[in-house]
């Protein structure tokens, strides 16, 4: 009855934001709190989750960072196309372009070996007592933090010894409060069964990433194999298909608008139990700074790629990676602006403070809590602008990384005793050469110079109190931009670190010489390196302090919110439910919850990211133009839910989750009925493509369709 | 009862495309064909149009290329913001930035003089007989065409003599068939009364051009003044406000979804009575070629502007002009692709041919009609690719224009007798120097070179049979692009025509010398110039032939379509009606027919084209977020309808028309219930802005609100 309770609570506490209807990434242990029958579920709860018998949960499987589910009693797994992409790429060669053409193993023996491993949850238990043992007597935050890590390592070791055949993982459900031990069976022989052509599985590309209406066939099929004894085993030709304890039945008729659906999956990370200041930090600093900086980097790469096709190809992948983040971040900023999430969190924090102030017992225990949190965040916000920049300097510029790393080693080397010098050179340079070279690689000199200039400009224009001393000279120049541009242009070629081959040679052949190198960028880079280190130390201290304060705040939140409290997502198995539902992304615009084959063809006519081979267009043109392709639902998902099965009220498979709408990027901070919508490929499109394009009648038969 | 008749016709003739419900830009003379009462009109037809008394038509006024309407008995006119923009720009100076800040004349004496003239339709009559007199005996197309022009000029002259106080215009209603004489009163003293700030009146800029949902306050107020005698007069301080025969009453409550509305206005040009081949030519050649070429030019300007802010500013206006066309053309291509407009026209043409074949009498008269049209279009299509390119060469490149113009003069000069040489130089060079310099101006050398290269590449890559001889050398190069690039780079600076000042000096001081100049681009440019001239001659011949054939086809179409036939728009006064209605622009997307103040604020938060000053945002934030801003209707409009009053069933003003949705760009070819939607600013937003932002309580009072 939680939902009704929530509504009533909403009426009584008009300042509370906790009155959504379909919110929640429920840990299975919390499922009893929800009246799922009333919400629309037509099977008993223990058909979904039953610690003492078989249930749908046992059809779930983790495939890499994704979720998948068994759809036959012979180990057939359905997940996303993008979850299989790496494996398809590895399986392809110049003669077999499975990425472009797709792949269908007509028979078992043709299924292709991959390096993917899959995990099935065998069992789990609450081990909070074991993890928190002895912590209450430690008051120093960093010592406490250390002890916690030790305890977890100990449990891990004990469990691994007790269950050598299983994979052991300790998950923090509530920071400093609640820990769960998961035991997974790991299947090591996973093979490709069917992947549609990239033009179907990635249809819409970057243009449609985080976008609804969507027309992407983002699904693939794999099969899990085990040794002849039925136990997990490495690949062997004569391995046999794995028989799952449970597999999902297909509902080939799909669902319709407002139908009840639910998802089981492994959502990655959310930040819903953080104080309001966390959201403010995100909204005012992190999201705008990172998205602007990534935008700048993307623009430079696009600009250089326009005139040089080879560069354009080389930059395609880094651009895609950065664009995925900026689009997500901009969506979050828009969401935080349009919704009252931040204001609601502030009101909740204030209400909790008022609750504490009213109650002497709470006051004794929590009286300093919010002032302490405020103090820590005030400290963090004071230099947030500079620290975010520092955090990007060495990951954005290979030259800065190399000069900063070597420069700081030169400083440290002064204090190294003669006898230890060789060992210092080995451990700090030779042993780390791979990592050093990776971080200091420069893909294009012109790009590197532009990024260097922009980074230095940003630093030189910081408020004087935050500005690193080494940038003072630029800051006092008449024209800061010009001074920096001149400095970079004059010195770039002179720097050892701009010549990767030369640098690599020295690092490999005479690493000791690096400790004597003088380089034009080294003074600045070392200064910034030291600033970054100082920031990181301060930040670790703050996080250690917060790791004691946040659990307290969560205690308080549980008192305040009562039964509606749920822990943040942490890559463990969660349940979420809701309804097939459209939404309004903007004034006067309505997005309906189903897309159709006619939309695929309309988009395909525009080419570009919507490229679709003629033979596929012709094939789709023979289908009913109103055949369903993708669908939309107000469920509570986040990254990690990729590939999660979407099930109807009877627990039958009706689609595969693969993305969220642009406005649902805010799910990381809060679920919102107006904006939180997730996107799945409809099982009807899966069946259409498998049958018509993949000629996979046999797979349909195997799935009982 | 035309609408019902149409429906029935649609049922009987399943091959006919003429079954829309709200189509039609009706000339007033055709209004009796429609049962407007049944459609929803609540006032008698003669309240709208009454040749013998006052009617709404008399509230209409043409303001420049726009439509406006009187909204008070003291000459107050409402039209679009973009129709007043030029006048506002002229009225502004560094101290008075009315463009940015807007302008409100608190009292009559502060209203600002403009150079705008306004026209009111005084009377009109059918003069087809006078215009077509003596034509039937002329069979040669070009002589016929000449005689037609002579007749029109004669009528014009006679009428101007008879009505020296009026403006006379002869409009072709149906090519070669029907001509109407319009007599306009011209008001010459039009003053600015209120314009909102540009951020309101142009809100959304290029991003929202041709876009729904829209949030633009595209309206302005002017006032017409006349001499003390009530007659049109040039500006004089003591002129008095003009008293219109009729003015529109405001309905401050606006309309709601599905309400009946109608528009009176001056739509510019449509192509609905052209044969199917005309549409094919547009779809396959004109629209893709021009939009791609303009896109290329835009990309180059954007690219150069990225690194140079001054260039970016200089290019802003040409980019906007080209972008307006490409967006329109792309919308048309999408529309022709998604609808069956071309196929319907083909079927209609075929049905008419079949009708002719069945009827011996029709056969005698029209037996050759369609074969003749086909022959002409086949000829046109055969070299369409080349001819479209030729048409762009001299308008895209100042250097090509100058070298082509001068080169062709040099050729012609060879045949000029000594005695006539001076006169030749004067008439061809000195007298035309302004125009020559305008067409040969080069805004930026780098841009000019890029455009030159692309133009030459295109020509060199034409099929051999169409390729001009002067490009043969490039065409046979190993690397065409490289050869052209080298040629342009090596010769650009050497060309006199790349140095505008030098060229101008010579043209002004020693024009005769130009006839002896040798220039590296002249051979190519002259060759292309001659090709273009040959094409233009052939095209004129084709158009002359079509000017006889199309009227015949229209005759036939009138027989075929019966009463549903309507002439194309031709900038004369038209009536169109329909309903407030949303639509689906794409699969799973629905656009609702009203936008709201909350949408203005959401867009404003993103900046850029949605920039809105803080004080305006703050003011709007105090209004009801659901206050209506713009609205959408399925009426049949096109360019020229800008500023047209939108009236409700009672004939009261409920908004001002200013744009069409992207999908409605196809209106030029056909109206379509699924896609044809026009956009107006709602009177409620007009009143909100005038009152709250403009502090124009007095204007509201004048309009009786």
């Amino acid at each position: 009855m939680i939902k009704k309770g929530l509504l009533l609570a909403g009426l009584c506490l008009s300042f509370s934001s906790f009155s959504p209807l379909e919110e929640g990434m429920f840990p299975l242990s919390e499922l009893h709190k929800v009246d799922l029958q009333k919400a629309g579920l037509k099977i008993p709860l223990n058909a979904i989750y039953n610690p003492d018998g078989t249930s749908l949960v046992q059809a779930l499987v983790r495939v890499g960072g994704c979720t998948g589910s068994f759809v036959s009693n012979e180990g057939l797994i359905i997940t996303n196309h993008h979850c299989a992409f790496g494996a398809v790429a590895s399986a392809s060669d110049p003669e077999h372009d499975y990425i472009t053409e797709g792949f269908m193993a007509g028979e078992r023996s043709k299924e292709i070996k991959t390096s993917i491993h899959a995990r099935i949850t065998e069992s789990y238990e609450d081990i909070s007592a074991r993890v928190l043992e002895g912590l209450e007597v430690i008051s120093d935050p960093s010592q406490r933090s250390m002890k916690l890590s030790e305890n977890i390592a100990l449990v891990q070791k004990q469990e691994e010894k007790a269950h050598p055949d299983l994979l052991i993982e300790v998950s923090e459900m509530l920071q400093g409060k609640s820990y769960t031990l998961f035991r997974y069976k790991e299947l090591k022989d996973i093979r490709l069964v069917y992947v549609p052509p990239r033009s179907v599985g990635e249809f819409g590309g970057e243009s449609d990433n985080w976008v609804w209406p969507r027309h992407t066939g983002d699904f693939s099929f794999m099969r899990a194999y085990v040794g002849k004894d039925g136990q997990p085993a490495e690949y062997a030709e004569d391995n046999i298909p794995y028989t799952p304890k449970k597999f999902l039945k297909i509902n080939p008729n799909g669902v319709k608008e407002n139908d009840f659906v639910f998802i089981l999956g492994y959502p990655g990370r959310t930040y819903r139990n953080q104080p309001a200041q966390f959201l403010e930090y995100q909204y005012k600093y992190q999201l705008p700074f990172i998205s602007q900086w990534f935008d700048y980097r993307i623009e430079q790469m696009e600009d250089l790629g326009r005139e040089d096709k080879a560069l354009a190809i080389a930059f395609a992948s880094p651009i895609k990676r950065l664009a995925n983040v900026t689009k997500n971040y901009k969506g979050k900023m828009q969401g935080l602006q349009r919704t009252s999430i931040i204001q609601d969190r502030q009101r909740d924090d204030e209400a909790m403070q008022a609750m504490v102030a009213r109650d002497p017992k709470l006051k004794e225990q929590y009286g300093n809590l919010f002032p302490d949190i405020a103090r820590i965040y005030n400290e963090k916000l004071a230099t947030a602008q500079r620290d975010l920049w520092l955090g990007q300097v060495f990951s954005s510029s290979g030259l800065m990384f190399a000069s900063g790393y070597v420069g700081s080693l030169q400083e440290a080397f002064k204090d190294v005793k003669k006898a230890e010098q060789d060992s210092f050179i080995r451990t700090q340079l030779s042993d780390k050469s791979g990592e050093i070279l990776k971080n200091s690689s420069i893909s294009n000199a012109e790009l590197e110079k532009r990024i260097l200039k922009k980074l230095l400009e940003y630093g030189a224009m910081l408020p004087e109190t935050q500005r690193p001393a080494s940038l003072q000279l630029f800051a006092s120049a008449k024209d800061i931009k010009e001074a920096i541009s001149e400095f970079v242009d004059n010195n770039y070629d002179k720097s050892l670190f701009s010549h990767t081959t030369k640098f690599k040679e020295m690092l490999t052949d005479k690493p000791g010489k690096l400790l004597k190198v003088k380089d034009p960028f080294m003074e600045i880079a070392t200064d910034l390196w030291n600033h970054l280190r100082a920031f990181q130390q301060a930040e670790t201290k703050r996080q250690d302090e917060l790791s004691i304060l946040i659990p307290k705040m969560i205690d308080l939140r549980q008192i305040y919110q009562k039964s509606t409290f749920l822990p943040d997502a942490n890559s463990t198995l969660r349940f979420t439910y809701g309804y097939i539902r459209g939404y309004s992304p903007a004034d006067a615009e309505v997005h309906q919850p189903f897309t159709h084959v006619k939309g695929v063809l309309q988009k395909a006519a525009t080419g570009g990211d919507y490229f679709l081979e003629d033979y596929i267009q012709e094939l789709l043109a023979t289908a009913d133009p109103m055949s369903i392709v993708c669908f939309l639902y107000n469920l509570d998902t986040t990254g990690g839910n990729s590939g999660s099965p979407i099930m109807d009220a009877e627990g039958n498979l009706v689609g595969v989750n693969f993305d969220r709408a642009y406005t649902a990027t805010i799910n990381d901070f809060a679920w919102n009925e107006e904006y939180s919508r997730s996107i799945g490929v409809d099982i009807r499109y899966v069946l259409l493509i498998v049958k018509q394009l993949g000629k996979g009648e046999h797979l349909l038969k195997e799935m009982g369709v």
Side-chain angles (χ1 to χ4, degrees), chain A residues 478-496:
Chain A
K478 217 176 115 192
D479 184 330
I480 296 182
K481 277 183 144 188
E482 209 180 276
I484 288 173
S485 182
E486 233 170 73
F487 173 77
V488 171
D489 289 339
N490 289 341
N491 290 296
Y492 184 83
D493 270 338
K494 294 180 195 154
S495 171
L496 164 67

Side-chain angles (χ1 to χ4, degrees), chain A residues 96-120:
Chain A
H96 304 90
D97 184 0
Y98 298 135
I99 291 185
T100 304
E101 292 159 18
F103 168 76
M104 170 63 86
E107 46 192 275
R108 296 279 156 90
S109 64
K110 299 266 172 69
E111 292 173 0
I112 299 177
K113 171 186 171 183
T114 72
S115 61
I116 293 174
H117 285 195
R119 289 183 189 186
I120 303 158

Side-chain angles (χ1 to χ4, degrees), chain A residues 583-599:
Chain A
Y583 75 118
S584 169
D587 186 29
E589 292 183 40
V590 173
H591 284 177
Q592 297 168 322
F594 287 101
T595 57
H596 309 89
V597 161
K598 71 168 183 178

Side-chain angles (χ1 to χ4, degrees), chain A residues 151-167:
Chain A
N151 284 357
I152 290 175
L154 184 67
V155 173
Q156 182 98 21
K157 215 168 160 187
Q158 290 168 341
E159 285 289 328
E160 279 168 358
K161 208 173 159 190
H163 306 278
D165 52 328
L166 297 178
L167 221 144

